[in-house]
Amino acid sequence: MSLSLCSINVRGIRDLTKRKAIFLYCKRFNADFYFLQETHACSSDLKFWKSQWGSDVWLSFGSNHSAGVAILKGTFKGKIISSRVHHLGRWIILVVALNGKMFLLGNIYAFNNKQYSRDLFLEVEEVVNKVKAKFQDFDIILGGDFHTVFDVKLDRFPVPARSPPPDMELHRLCQGLGISDISRCKHPGLKVFTWCNKDSSKQSRIDFWLSSNALEGQINKVSIEPSVLSDHKAIYPSVNLSNNEDYKVPKTYWKLNNRILENDSFKMEIKEIIQAYWRRAQLTNSYSQNWKFIKYKIRKRSKEAARSNKIKEEEVMKAICDLTDDSNTTQTDACKLFGLQAELDELYMEKAKEAFVRSRRRWLEEGEKKLKKNGDYTSLSKLNIDSYETQNPVEISYFFGKLYTSKACSTDKMCDFLNSLKEDFKTIDEGFKAICDKEISIFEIKKVINKLKVNKSPGNDGLTTEFYKTFRDDLAEFLLLVFKESIDKGVLPTSMTQGLITIIPKPDKDLLLIDNWQPITLINNDGKILASVCAERLKTGLDSIIDESQSGFMKGRRICNNICLVLDLVESVKTLVTQRICLLFIHFLSHFVSLSICISFLES
């Protein structure tokens, strides 16, 4: 297990697209926490930035054009114990616990004035000592932009002809807190810089990670990497906490990037894939099997397109690293570096725009309205299982697996129960039966595809509704014959029987209790199209077979009608009924109640 961190001076992220680009860049490190300096954040930004980031955010507010620091929570699975923020946007301190150890994490953005920075360092030291008096034993890790250097000869380029004396205030801070420069401990004589001006004629190492001396042997690595939309580089250290193998969090499933559907060349390639497998399906008279192959090929081609962009990004970053490794930068190298940095910035700005297209856009359009409606979305990192609170992901996974395990239910018992209700069943007329039994048509499939909602999460095949809308005319006939073949054989293709179960927290509820998580199943869009065709047919006759007392999930009916019905029943009982009666209200509190439990309850 390790604690990984990333720090970058972002030079203002009030611009929506730049902020999204910076957030996307940060996530490539997969770190526990991200320290950002010079955010220009104001008090009104907290909720919206937290929504855009997707996890916990701590802000120390500056103004809308200066200062401000932020800590973004990434993959951290430990406990946040306390937090403190500076009133002028210069530091944030968190106390956290992970793997039985406590850490004080501090994000610092120093002044560009020596006297002000001196006072700031004294203030930070005082705050850390106060926290130390309260929590006793913890390790310190401070990171950020300190606006000064430890060693002028190693950390400045070009080296000034008359070297100023070293900044003793930074040395005093390190001595007072028992911390040291992680980069210099790992690479004592290495000349590497974290800031440069536009033509690279001036460079400095002013961004550091300072950690407790006791952690020196536990530092795995310290990477200094090109950043985006900033003149500072990103610094990424990792602290080893144990020799135990980390629990591997399952990767998120693949989803088609809808922005690629705007690429005419990509669309032509997909059309050719569809046509090739259409001809093959006609020759082999096997449509379901070839439908699986189509989806596989489309996924493969889409991933290749995304991978080519990733390779391009890595090549640009490597070229920047190669040029900046040498401090003796020529004018030609500086021009190349400027061009490469502009290319990298553009790549991430495009990524940010793609992310806006890919998302549901609700947090952009509705802002706080969405937060109030749905609450803050939180991953399930701990749960109360049988009165025992656990953060072990293996135990949580096993518990959820049991919820979806099929419980034995006698088929005979089920049939007997349903037969006992036959007299109360309504039967459908021949006209409605004919509508339900007729063959599926291309017109129905195209109509359903047109009605599919956009900006919705797809199933585990990753093919979005936008994909089906884009290639509707190419896919409609193929889907028609897949559906007909499935109905004739009585078996659906595997992908149409699969679903991706996810859970959504109920707002303002205790999230340690399983009852306060609502499960939903994301099914693949091809299965959704078939289900929608059937649903459209059923809608034509539901009113005649579903009793008017069922008001939920029926068009034109209101659940408030049942309240009126209950009130009428109560009044009728008072005046017309002489024997004792019981009015029973049933509400399934849990979303994980099995069918067998429902039947047993109704029988009793």
Side-chain angles (χ1 to χ4, degrees):
M1 180 175 286
S2 63
L3 177 67
S4 54
L5 306 162
C6 179
S7 173
I8 175 176
N9 181 316
V10 294
R11 295 195 65 200
I13 48 174
R14 296 209 59 77
D15 178 77
L16 184 66
T17 309
K18 179 181 177 180
R19 184 166 65 249
K20 186 65 177 179
I22 292 290
F23 285 177
L24 288 171
Y25 172 78
C26 286
K27 287 182 178 181
R28 71 185 291 275
F29 291 98
N30 201 33
D32 289 294
F33 291 101
Y34 304 89
F35 288 15
L36 308 183
Q37 302 88 43
E38 205 175 346
T39 59
H40 301 176
C42 300
S43 57
S44 58
D45 297 324
L46 181 59
K47 283 187 177 180
F48 191 69
W49 287 26
K50 184 176 180 180
S51 173
Q52 188 176 14
W53 172 248
S55 188
D56 290 334
V57 172
W58 293 266
L59 297 180
S60 176
F61 309 117
S63 70
N64 60 9
H65 59 274
S66 67
V69 291
I71 295 181
L72 314 178
K73 182 183 174 185
T75 59
F76 184 69
K77 299 299 181 185
K79 185 178 181 181
I80 310 295
I81 298 173
S82 70
S83 64
R84 298 190 182 195
V85 299
H86 188 237
H87 65 289
L88 293 177
R90 291 290 170 172
W91 54 259
I92 298 174
I93 287 177
L94 297 183
V95 178
V96 304
L98 180 65
N99 198 34
K101 297 181 180 179
M102 289 181 62
F103 297 89
L104 182 145
L105 307 178
N107 183 8
I108 296 174
Y109 177 51
F111 290 94
N112 203 11
N113 176 289
K114 283 193 174 184
Q115 181 59 44
Y116 289 166
S117 285
R118 175 182 175 276
D119 294 340
L120 181 71
F121 294 156
L122 289 172
E123 183 182 10
V124 169
E125 185 176 359
E126 182 181 350
V127 171
V128 171
N129 285 328
K130 284 182 180 179
V131 175
K132 187 181 290 186
K134 182 177 180 180
F135 294 105
Q136 301 299 323
D137 186 27
F138 58 73
D139 288 310
I140 300 169
I141 303 178
L142 305 181
D145 179 358
F146 290 81
H147 266 304
T148 187
V149 299
F150 277 102
D151 186 322
V152 175
K153 292 183 179 179
L154 284 176
D155 297 333
R156 295 276 192 203
F157 172 80
V159 177
R162 295 180 61 185
S163 297
D167 190 337
M168 296 309 299
E169 301 307 325
L170 191 56
H171 286 276
R172 286 194 192 98
L173 176 68
C174 292
Q175 290 172 1
L177 296 178
I179 56 179
S180 53
D181 179 5
I182 295 177
S183 296
R184 194 56 71 208
C185 289
K186 295 290 286 185
H187 311 289
L190 183 67
K191 290 192 85 170
V192 62
F193 307 107
T194 62
W195 170 88
C196 68
N197 62 357
K198 283 188 176 182
D199 62 0
S200 299
S201 59
K202 293 183 179 180
Q203 301 180 60
S204 300
R205 190 177 73 93
I206 55 177
D207 305 271
F208 313 116
W209 281 103
L210 311 174
S211 73
S212 296
N213 297 327
L215 288 177
E216 184 177 339
Q218 296 175 255
I219 306 297
N220 290 337
K221 61 178 180 179
V222 184
S223 302
I224 298 177
E225 299 198 16
S227 63
V228 296
L229 305 167
S230 174
D231 53 2
H232 289 251
K233 291 185 179 180
I235 318 176
Y236 174 72
S238 178
V239 182
N240 185 39
L241 301 183
S242 72
N243 295 322
N244 298 330
E245 185 178 349
D246 288 353
Y247 170 77
K248 293 182 180 179
V249 178
K251 291 183 179 180
T252 56
Y253 73 108
W254 173 83
K255 296 180 285 290
L256 178 72
N257 183 346
N258 288 326
R259 190 169 177 88
I260 203 170
L261 297 175
E262 300 173 8
N263 187 310
D264 291 334
S265 175
F266 175 79
K267 286 197 289 187
M268 285 300 299
E269 288 182 53
I270 298 301
K271 285 175 181 284
E272 289 171 5
I273 290 172
I274 295 170
Q275 287 300 316
Y277 280 96
W278 168 249
R279 290 190 293 268
R280 179 173 169 177
Q282 287 179 311
L283 288 172
T284 59
N285 197 31
S286 175
Y287 294 94
S288 296
Q289 189 68 25
N290 282 285
W291 177 245
K292 294 179 189 176
F293 292 148
I294 276 186
K295 295 211 287 186
Y296 169 76
K297 290 292 288 185
I298 290 170
R299 283 166 59 95
K300 184 179 178 182
R301 180 64 195 95
S302 301
K303 288 179 179 180
E304 287 172 353
R307 199 176 295 118
S308 65
N309 291 335
K310 181 69 176 175
I311 292 171
K312 183 179 179 182
E313 177 190 333
E314 289 174 352
E315 288 174 348
V316 171
M317 294 190 80
K318 185 179 183 303
I320 292 173
C321 288
D322 291 342
L323 285 172
T324 54
D325 281 347
D326 184 7
S327 59
N328 298 315
T329 308
T330 65
Q331 187 64 36
T332 304
D333 290 340
C335 291
K336 285 182 182 178
L337 190 60
F338 183 81
L340 288 167
Q341 186 64 55
E343 188 176 353
L344 185 62
D345 292 347
E346 183 61 28
L347 279 172
Y348 270 90
M349 289 296 280
E350 283 299 311
K351 277 190 177 186
K353 293 172 186 175
E354 288 171 9
F356 289 145
V357 174
R358 202 163 57 240
S359 69
R360 296 189 180 187
R361 301 188 184 98
R362 287 185 184 173
W363 58 268
L364 281 173
E365 297 166 356
E366 300 176 19
E368 292 185 19
K369 181 180 176 183
K370 179 177 184 290
L371 286 174
K372 290 175 181 176
K373 181 179 178 182
N374 296 328
D376 295 334
Y377 278 66
T378 310
S379 61
L380 182 58
S381 57
K382 56 184 176 181
L383 191 67
N384 191 320
I385 302 174
D386 298 328
S387 301
Y388 164 68
E389 185 178 319
T390 180
Q391 290 181 285
N392 188 323
V394 177
E395 290 180 359
I396 294 173
S397 179
Y398 177 71
F399 173 74
F400 268 93
K402 288 198 301 180
L403 292 176
Y404 289 98
T405 301
S406 177
K407 295 179 175 64
C409 182
S410 168
T411 305
D412 293 337
K413 189 176 181 181
M414 182 90 71
C415 290
D416 291 341
F417 173 74
L418 294 174
N419 286 331
S420 70
L421 302 176
K422 269 188 176 180
E423 294 180 2
D424 299 320
F425 286 168
K426 291 184 179 181
T427 57
I428 64 174
D429 58 38
E430 290 299 318
F432 185 39
K433 182 176 183 296
I435 290 173
C436 292
D437 287 345
K438 70 179 182 180
E439 285 195 350
I440 298 173
S441 67
I442 287 184
F443 172 76
E444 289 179 292
I445 292 173
K446 289 185 177 181
K447 181 181 176 183
V448 164
I449 291 175
N450 288 338
K451 292 176 72 173
L452 288 174
K453 293 180 180 179
V454 297
N455 298 317
K456 292 291 183 181
S457 296
N460 62 353
D461 67 6
L463 298 179
T464 60
T465 55
E466 288 83 352
F467 169 81
Y468 282 90
K469 286 176 177 287
T470 301
F471 299 103
R472 184 199 65 176
D473 295 333
D474 304 275
L475 295 173
E477 191 172 0
F478 208 134
L479 283 170
L480 174 65
L481 293 177
V482 170
F483 296 157
K484 284 184 176 180
E485 183 179 276
S486 301
I487 292 168
D488 291 341
K489 292 182 177 180
V491 179
L492 288 170
T494 306
S495 67
M496 291 192 196
T497 63
Q498 294 174 335
L500 188 71
I501 299 173
T502 186
I503 52 175
I504 299 174
K506 295 179 181 178
D508 305 319
K509 297 288 185 179
D510 183 2
L511 298 185
L512 286 176
L513 302 178
I514 187 61
D515 292 337
N516 295 328
W517 292 86
Q518 180 178 350
I520 59 170
T521 302
L522 305 174
I523 62 173
N524 293 322
N525 278 303
D526 49 0
K528 195 180 290 185
I529 291 167
L530 177 59
S532 297
V533 169
C534 297
E536 289 294 322
R537 293 182 177 188
L538 288 170
K539 283 179 185 177
T540 62
L542 287 183
D543 283 333
S544 63
I545 59 174
I546 294 182
D547 193 271
E548 63 181 12
S549 61
Q550 178 174 325
S551 54
F553 311 105
M554 290 292 291
K555 189 175 181 179
R557 301 185 188 182
R558 301 288 182 271
I559 199 167
C560 59
N561 294 347
N562 275 4
I563 299 173
C564 298
L565 178 61
V566 170
L567 293 174
D568 290 342
L569 283 171
V570 172
E571 288 301 319
S572 299
V573 167
K574 287 180 180 179
T575 56
L576 302 176
V577 180
T578 57
Q579 69 266 35
R580 299 174 70 182
I581 67 166
C582 173
L583 186 64
L584 180 64
F585 176 75
I586 303 171
H587 172 63
F588 293 112
L589 177 65
S590 174
H591 298 281
F592 303 96
V593 177
S594 70
L595 183 61
S596 58
I597 294 174
C598 296
I599 292 172
S600 299
F601 176 77
L602 290 170
E603 280 185 325
S604 64

